Amino acid sequence: MSEQQQPVFAIEKIYVKDLSLEIPNAPGIFLEREAPQVNLQLNTKNQTIEEGLYEVLLTVTVTAKVKDNVMFLVEAQQAGIFRIRNVSEEEINPVLGIGCANILFPYLRETVSDTVTRAGFPAVILNPVNFEAIYNQNQASSEADSNTEKH
């Protein structure tokens, strides 16, 4: 009789791994009244710490510019350590890339908003992100890359 082990999922730790703020044109940029153009770049990656223990890392770079002048640049890395056991190899990557990323995102949003506000600017609230769509897109592009390499 083989007994199916129940999947285990636990959040061990959520933390800010790296945080950077630059205001290269201060103090003059604070006199600017024009609304900035905000550019956002978001990346997700994960690594195995030990068997059943994983680190997931969300990195966001937010750059606000008025004309050609950088108003501010924030880079934040929000990380989490997750204990995941009794999950198949096929299912672990979606759990990390979608489930864990969704858990970390509200913390990342708060970190960015708080940092920008403390820098003296109006809060930047990151829009919700569809990590499932990003994961599926990355899977499709990596499959296309591997098919290209085979030919």
Side-chain angles (χ1 to χ4, degrees):
M1 285 192 253
S2 68
E3 186 178 314
Q4 181 71 16
Q5 296 266 339
Q6 288 287 13
V8 173
F9 180 89
I11 300 169
E12 295 293 323
K13 186 76 175 168
I14 293 176
Y15 58 100
V16 175
K17 188 167 186 169
D18 190 19
L19 180 59
S20 168
L21 168 68
E22 296 176 30
I23 311 173
N25 295 301
I29 201 71
F30 290 108
L31 303 176
E32 192 62 58
R33 297 292 169 231
E34 193 174 319
Q37 292 289 103
V38 178
N39 181 24
L40 176 83
Q41 294 179 346
L42 180 69
N43 296 306
T44 306
K45 71 179 191 177
N46 60 69
Q47 68 174 344
T48 304
I49 300 170
E50 60 184 51
E51 188 177 338
L53 207 57
Y54 303 87
E55 180 190 52
V56 177
L57 185 66
L58 290 184
T59 303
V60 69
T61 303
V62 180
T63 308
K65 288 184 174 183
V66 174
K67 300 174 188 128
D68 288 334
N69 293 328
V70 173
M71 188 173 259
F72 63 82
L73 184 140
V74 174
E75 185 173 89
Q77 290 185 340
Q78 189 73 47
I81 299 172
F82 299 91
R83 184 168 305 281
I84 305 169
R85 295 194 188 278
N86 306 324
V87 175
S88 71
E89 283 293 318
E90 302 85 45
E91 294 174 332
I92 194 71
N93 285 328
V95 169
L96 295 169
I98 301 168
C100 295
N102 277 319
I103 290 169
L104 292 175
F105 188 75
Y107 295 93
L108 179 67
R109 178 188 298 149
E110 181 183 9
T111 298
V112 169
S113 179
D114 187 51
T115 302
V116 170
T117 303
R118 288 176 183 263
F121 299 101
V124 170
I125 307 297
L126 303 179
N127 288 326
V129 173
N130 184 340
F131 288 103
E132 184 174 4
I134 292 170
Y135 176 81
N136 291 334
Q137 183 180 3
N138 290 342
Q139 290 299 105
S141 69
S142 66
E143 284 175 17
D145 290 347
S146 66
N147 288 339
T148 304
E149 289 171 12
K150 290 177 185 174
H151 295 300

